[in-house]
Amino acid sequence: MTPSAPPTAPATGLQKDLIDTLDKAHFQALVGKGEVEGSLDLTVYSQKAPFTNDREAAQWLDQAGIAATATLNEGLYVVLNLHTADAVLRFIDLLLMPWVTAYTAADQLETLLDSHAVTSDLAVGTAGIALTLAEDDLACVVTLASLLGAPGIDTGLVLHRRRGIRRLAERMKWLLSGIVGSAVQATAEAGCEHACARLEVNLTVEQTHRLLDRLGATQHSTPTGRAS
């Protein structure tokens, strides 16, 4: 959680909090003291920003109600001059915290899957979290399904064939959609000489949290699960 501060307090008092949150949000930027006393300059390098130039940045700041100005430096990067602590807090809450929440959920999901020997790759994007499971015959997907209460999800499927993999993806889509309470997208690709078969599941952050709840309950209810 970000700290509270009087509306007119100087932005420099939250410099460390801003730097720490930028790191947690994987948002590339440089923070330094501004020319105006008490202000902070934030040089934006990340493509996560909802603007690409100073004009768009100024419009976004105005719409967000953030007391700041936007300019371009010599390298043509946007520099935000945050005037007060309140401006820093609003910037953190509106732009950075959604990314922090998403990355935290992805890290928690990866940790839980690892604790059950399910190797995964997770990527955080603007639409949510992409979970990729890759293994010969997608044995990791079968393991995950068992953890979620669907043992034998591969019954009748030949998982070294494209049709079997596609049908497994469809079954996982329905299983996960039922668990998280909303439609989940799942696609699968057959393996080849240079790559294993893979299943990719696209989840919103809310869906990820619901999946975490289910896996967390499984972890505490099975003798092999490690306490979190």
Side-chain angles (χ1 to χ4, degrees):
M1 294 179 62
T2 54
S4 59
T8 57
T12 48
L14 293 177
Q15 182 170 356
K16 183 179 184 302
D17 297 281
L18 178 56
I19 292 173
D20 289 345
T21 310
L22 287 165
D23 182 61
K24 293 176 183 177
H26 297 238
F27 190 102
Q28 294 182 324
L30 179 66
V31 179
K33 292 183 178 180
E35 292 184 5
V36 178
E37 184 177 357
S39 70
L40 288 175
D41 278 346
L42 176 71
T43 305
V44 178
Y45 302 116
S46 177
Q47 294 183 353
K48 292 183 174 70
F51 45 78
T52 58
N53 55 52
D54 55 336
R55 179 181 57 81
E56 292 178 354
Q59 291 177 345
W60 181 82
L61 291 168
D62 182 63
Q63 292 171 357
I66 297 176
T69 55
T71 57
L72 291 179
N73 64 12
E74 294 180 355
L76 300 181
Y77 290 102
V78 173
V79 180
L80 305 181
N81 180 247
L82 303 168
H83 302 161
T84 64
D86 181 68
V88 175
L89 292 176
R90 286 190 63 80
F91 179 83
I92 288 174
D93 288 341
L94 295 177
L95 184 54
L96 300 182
M97 286 310 297
W99 287 104
V100 172
T101 301
Y103 277 108
T104 300
D107 289 344
Q108 291 173 343
L109 180 56
E110 186 174 38
T111 298
L112 265 178
L113 293 175
D114 284 348
S115 73
H116 292 289
V118 178
T119 303
S120 62
D121 181 67
L122 290 101
V124 176
T126 55
I129 296 169
L131 165 65
T132 301
L133 303 171
E135 192 174 357
D136 291 338
D137 294 340
L138 293 179
C140 52
V141 177
V142 177
T143 299
L144 176 58
S146 296
L147 293 171
L148 295 174
I153 196 172
D154 58 331
T155 300
L157 303 182
V158 181
L159 295 183
H160 62 268
R161 294 185 177 178
R162 294 181 184 276
R163 182 182 179 186
I165 288 174
R166 286 197 302 268
R167 291 187 63 187
L168 179 65
E170 184 175 346
R171 292 180 184 183
M172 281 297 295
K173 178 182 70 174
W174 291 114
L175 172 63
L176 291 170
S177 296
I179 287 172
V180 304
S182 55
V184 170
Q185 298 299 318
T187 57
E189 295 181 9
C192 62
E193 182 180 354
H194 304 291
C196 297
R198 53 191 284 133
L199 174 79
E200 182 174 305
V201 179
N202 293 304
L203 302 162
T204 65
V205 175
E206 182 180 357
Q207 288 173 335
T208 304
H209 284 146
R210 292 183 179 182
L211 182 58
L212 280 167
D213 289 341
R214 179 62 171 269
L215 284 170
T218 299
Q219 181 160 340
H220 289 293
S221 64
T222 57
T224 57
R226 297 203 303 261
S228 58

